[in-house]
């Protein structure tokens, strides 16, 4: 049921006529201590340079209830794998090109008590043999294989193999494989196919599975023509009445393309693709979906300082006999553009990335999971005092001892069609890259400036079938939005590399929207920041900064989390650094915050007095310490999300915070760091936090 509580809430419903009406039952599984071990060993022996023998054995122990003495007879299992790889040179021509005969055999045996620690077979193994993806060994497994083939050093090859899979009376399968590759002048062909027949007595089914992949390409002067296809025909039939089972399917996908043969500098490819799927309807395979794709793909590196890659695909989906699913006939566009120009010897460098596409995405729920103190990101504040952890009571932690929770997203089985747009643009202007050691005073002044602009738009909306949805700047309604992030950062630097004097200005405008289980949540951040630094009398420096910001939060469901905090902040730092290993700083910071949302009246005035010291030992380590006195005036109750944000997780009155960090290099590749910090707020006991960390660099 829907609730503000953290995590899922379950409600009991009474049975009707003795039949339960719910979807869940209150069961907590007993988790036993387990032990899982595996030991492997083997050897490789070369009989000759063309004949090798490989043997590997394995022993496993899987104890599902470590401290129980019952039923231990099936804990231990084992297996063996033997293979022999052989080749014989049949012919060597005048150019030393060889033709080889290859003949290999192998055998693998696993006891039914065998239990793997990690996957040791290929990810496609169960699908290759038409077995359940979570198949459990019920009998001993025997797998044998043999293959023979011819291989030419020019690139041509032909290979035929037979594989036999036996698992007692439950499962028997025979899989034949064929591989053929041939290259003649400018013609290249390849074929990789297999045919499988199985008898699965455990699931009362027999299967026939044929599939192949082919490729044919022909170069005609500077143009390459290519054809490729993938085909799968997989029949699942009941072993009782020979009827077709719902798992049966067939698909055929082919692609024809034209591209330039030499792709070292530029590559352009035009392609057309079709895919036809068939599913089991009654006792036969019938057309289910038919999709066509047409597109262009290009990578151009021949234009100096203007690399560009581009992909555009138009897809059309037709439904034939699809009933009772969320699929609908669909026309969609998938595109991607990357462009990274560099002009005037690096005066202007830019990067442009744009991508759009369709896809299915499942709806998500989230909750907060408690972890060890300091290992999380969020803090819980019981604003209403009911001792129940509620979704609207979690904030991003300001101090590590409060960081006891992480946010966990859990997928649901509900899917929506999603249209995603992403646009990213970055531009940098650096006059010093163009004007090297200028004599003109105006040009030297211009060289002191650097600007950087980064803009990104990333949005996900539900599909309305409107072409305008591909416009990343379109303002869509809340009813269609799933997620939206708009970020703009503009920075201007003056004397960025100077050791005497420098300034910079940064403008940030971030806006985000997210569709959660409890409605739309919006976050905004707008800030203007100016920084300046002056070094004087060799050992003294002054760093100044000023920030004006507006930080907002708007929750559709939790109105107590709505705020728009306008803040003015200035910081002055006086630094004394007589040498390279010692530095001491005196800091004063003034912050004024006001809640500007309609009906908001909260205001805070914060004065911070701080001292900081740092001591460096060359190539050995460093010691850093800081203490802050934070005096806060606030005109509202402290137990609210607005107060937590405005007071930086501190309290009205005089607050003291401190920290001490020591870092030491034990040798060239081992580093140890020890940290201690704490705080004391009015009407609360002091909080002390300590930690240590060791890093090894390889």
């Amino acid at each position: 049921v829907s609730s503000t509580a953290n995590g899922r809430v379950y409600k009991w419903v009474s049975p009707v006529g003795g039949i339960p009406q719910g979807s869940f039952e209150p069961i907590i599984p007993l988790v036993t201590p387990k032990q899982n071990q595996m030991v492997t060993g083997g050897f490789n022996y070369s009989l000759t340079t063309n004949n090798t023998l490989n043997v590997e054995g394995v022993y496993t122990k899987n104890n599902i209830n470590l401290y129980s003495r019952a039923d231990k007879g099936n804990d231990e299992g084992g297996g063996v794998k033997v293979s022999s790889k052989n080749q014989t040179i049949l012919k060597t021509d005048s150019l030393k090109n060889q033709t080889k005969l290859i003949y290999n055999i192998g055998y693998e045996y696993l006891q039914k008590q065998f239990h793997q620690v990690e996957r040791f077979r290929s990810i496609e193994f169960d699908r290759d043999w038409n077995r359940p993806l979570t198949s459990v060994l019920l009998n001993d497994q025997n797998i044998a294989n043999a293959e023979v083939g011819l291989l030419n050093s020019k690139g041509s090859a032909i290979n035929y193999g037979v594989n036999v899979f036996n698992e007692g009376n439950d499962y028997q399968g025979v899989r034949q494989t064929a591989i053929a590759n041939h290259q003649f002048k400018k013609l290249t062909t390849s074929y990789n196919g297999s045919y499988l027949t199985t008898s699965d007595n455990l699931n009362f089914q027999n299967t026939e599975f044929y599939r192949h992949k082919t490729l044919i390409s022909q170069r005609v002067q500077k143009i390459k023509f290519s054809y490729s296809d993938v085909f799968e025909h997989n029949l699942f039939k009941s072993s009782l009445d020979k009827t077709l089972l719902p798992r049966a399917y067939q698909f055929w996908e082919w692609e024809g393309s034209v591209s330039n043969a030499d792709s070292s500098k530029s590559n352009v490819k035009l392609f057309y693709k079709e895919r036809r799927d068939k599913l089991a309807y009654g006792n036969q395979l019938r057309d289910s979906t038919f999709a066509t794709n047409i597109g262009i793909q290009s990578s151009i590196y021949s234009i100096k300082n203007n690399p560009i890659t581009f992909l555009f695909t138009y897809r059309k989906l037709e439904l034939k006999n699809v009933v009772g699913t969320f699929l609908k006939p669909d026309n969609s566009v998938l595109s991607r553009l990357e462009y990274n120009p560099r002009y005037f010897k690096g005066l202007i460098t830019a990067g442009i990335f744009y991508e759009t596409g369709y896809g299915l995405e499942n709806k998500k729920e989230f909750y907060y999971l408690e972890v060890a103190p300091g290992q999380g990101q969020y803090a819980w504040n019981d604003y209403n005092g009911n001792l129940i952890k509620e979704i609207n009571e979690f904030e991003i932690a300001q101090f590590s001892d409060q960081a006891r929770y992480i946010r966990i997203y859990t997928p649901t089985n509900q899917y929506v069609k999603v249209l995603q747009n992403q646009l990213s643009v970055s531009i940098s202007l650096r006059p010093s890259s163009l004007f090297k050691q200028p004599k003109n005073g105006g040009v030297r002044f211009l060289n002191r400036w650097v600007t950087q602009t980064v803009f990104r738009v990333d949005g996900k909306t539900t599909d309305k079938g409107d072409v305008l949805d591909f416009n990343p700047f379109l303002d869509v309604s809340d009813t269609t939005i799933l997620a939206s992030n708009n970020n703009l950062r503009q920075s201007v630097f003056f004397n960025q590399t100077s050791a005497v004097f420098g300034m910079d200005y940064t403008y940030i405008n971030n806006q985000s929207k997210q569709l959660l289980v409890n409605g739309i949540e919006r976050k905004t951040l707008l800030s203007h920041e100016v920084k300046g630094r002056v070094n004087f009398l060799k050992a003294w420096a002054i760093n100044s900064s000023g920030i004006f910001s507006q930080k907002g939060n708007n929750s559709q469901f939790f109105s107590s989390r709505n705020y728009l905090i306008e803040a003015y902040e200035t910081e002055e730092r006086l630094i004394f650094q007589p040498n390279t290993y010692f530095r001491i700083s005196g800091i004063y910071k003034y912050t004024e915050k006001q809640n500007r949302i309609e009906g908001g009246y909260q205001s805070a005035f914060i004065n911070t007095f701080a001292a900081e010291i740092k001591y460096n030992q060359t190539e050995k380590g460093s010691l850093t310490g800081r203490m802050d006195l934070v005096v806060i005036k606030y005109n509202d109750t402290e137990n609210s999300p607005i107060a937590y944000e405005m007071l930086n997780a501190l309290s009205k009155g005089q607050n003291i915070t401190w920290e001490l960090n020591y870092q030491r290099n034990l040798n060239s590749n081992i580093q140890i760091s020890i940290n201690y910090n704490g705080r004391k707020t009015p009407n609360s006991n002091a909080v002390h936090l300590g930690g240590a960390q060791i890093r090894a660099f390889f």
Side-chain angles (χ1 to χ4, degrees), residues 46-58:
S46 297
L47 304 173
T48 67
T49 56
N50 294 319
N51 306 91
T52 61
L53 177 66
N54 303 316
V55 179
E56 183 178 3
V58 61

Side-chain angles (χ1 to χ4, degrees), residues 413-673:
N413 57 0
Q414 300 179 23
Y415 288 81
V416 292
K417 190 70 174 293
V418 175
L419 171 63
Q420 180 174 6
N421 283 312
Q422 181 177 328
L423 173 66
S424 177
V425 180
S426 64
I427 300 175
S428 177
L429 299 178
R430 190 178 294 272
S432 59
S433 300
L434 179 62
F435 305 106
K436 305 291 185 180
Q437 298 179 346
K439 297 180 180 180
N440 184 280
V443 177
R444 288 200 302 270
F445 178 76
L446 184 63
N447 276 1
R448 297 175 183 269
W449 295 88
V450 176
T451 67
Q452 293 178 345
T453 303
V454 179
F455 175 70
R456 176 170 177 171
V457 178
D458 190 355
K460 294 181 180 180
T461 61
T462 56
D463 177 31
K464 305 192 309 296
D466 191 345
V467 177
L468 292 177
D469 286 348
F470 290 105
N471 180 1
F473 302 103
L474 190 65
D475 187 16
V476 297
S477 63
D478 288 345
T479 57
T480 62
I481 194 170
L482 298 175
S484 173
N485 289 282
N486 299 339
N487 303 316
L488 173 63
R489 182 185 182 93
Q490 171 70 59
S491 300
V492 180
F493 303 92
F494 178 73
N495 266 6
Q496 187 179 24
T497 59
S498 172
V500 179
F501 170 74
M503 294 185 66
D504 60 78
Y505 164 77
T506 302
Y507 169 75
I508 297 176
N509 190 345
N510 296 339
Q511 301 180 28
S512 67
K513 297 179 184 179
Q514 188 173 10
L515 178 62
L516 303 176
V517 176
N518 294 318
I520 294 286
E521 184 172 81
R522 296 180 178 87
K523 294 181 181 293
T524 60
L525 174 62
L526 174 68
S527 73
H528 302 265
E529 181 178 9
V530 178
K531 292 182 179 180
R533 54 185 173 82
V534 178
N535 295 334
F536 62 97
L537 299 178
K538 293 184 179 180
W540 294 86
I542 295 177
N543 290 358
S544 299
S545 67
I547 303 175
F548 166 76
S549 65
Q550 286 183 334
K551 185 174 184 180
N553 191 89
N554 183 277
S555 176
Q556 192 174 14
F557 190 76
F558 300 113
S559 59
S560 63
R561 300 186 60 84
N562 297 344
Y563 56 77
L564 179 62
I565 299 174
E566 190 173 276
Y568 301 88
E569 183 177 297
T570 180
E571 180 180 290
E572 304 298 328
R573 184 185 295 250
L574 178 63
I575 303 172
F576 175 66
Q577 185 171 346
N579 46 53
T580 58
Y581 55 84
F582 178 77
R583 186 181 71 193
I584 186 170
S585 305
I587 305 166
Y588 171 70
K589 182 178 178 181
Y590 174 74
T591 305
E592 182 178 326
K593 296 183 178 181
Q594 178 73 46
N595 185 15
R596 297 294 187 184
I597 198 170
E598 183 178 353
Y601 57 88
Q602 295 87 356
S603 61
F605 301 90
I606 306 174
N607 288 273
T608 303
F609 306 89
E612 185 180 68
I613 186 172
K614 185 170 185 179
Y615 178 74
N616 290 319
Q617 289 180 297
T618 306
E619 297 182 355
K620 291 184 178 181
S622 65
L623 175 67
T624 304
R626 174 166 173 158
M627 178 170 284
D628 294 54
L629 171 63
V630 185
V631 182
I632 300 177
K633 293 182 179 180
Y634 184 60
N635 65 347
D636 194 20
T637 178
E638 300 178 30
N639 196 26
S640 68
I642 298 175
Y644 190 85
E645 180 65 36
M646 296 183 71
L647 305 184
N648 300 325
L650 297 174
S651 301
K652 291 186 288 186
Q654 294 186 357
N655 303 262
I656 301 176
T657 65
W658 58 89
E659 60 179 297
L660 188 65
N661 298 288
Y662 178 66
Q663 181 177 296
R664 178 78 176 186
N665 299 322
L666 301 182
N667 53 38
S668 60
N669 64 340
I670 296 180
Q671 183 184 89
I672 184 172
S673 61

Side-chain angles (χ1 to χ4, degrees), residues 121-167:
R121 287 169 171 165
S122 68
I123 195 70
E124 288 282 313
F125 178 84
D126 291 318
R127 201 173 86 88
D128 288 342
W129 289 96
N130 268 346
R131 293 171 57 83
L133 296 180
T134 57
S135 58
V136 179
L137 273 69
L138 299 176
N139 284 292
D140 295 349
Q141 284 188 355
N142 296 272
I143 303 176
N145 67 282
E147 61 178 351
V148 61
L150 295 173
L151 175 65
N152 188 283
S153 55
K154 293 182 180 180
S156 297
I158 185 170
N159 182 285
Y160 173 76
V162 176
N163 304 266
V164 178
F165 191 143
N166 176 271
E167 190 173 306

Side-chain angles (χ1 to χ4, degrees), residues 35-52:
Q35 182 186 50
N36 194 359
Q37 295 174 302
M38 173 184 284
V39 179
T40 63
F43 67 88
N44 302 330
Y45 181 68
S46 297
L47 304 173
T48 67
T49 56
N50 294 319
N51 306 91
T52 61

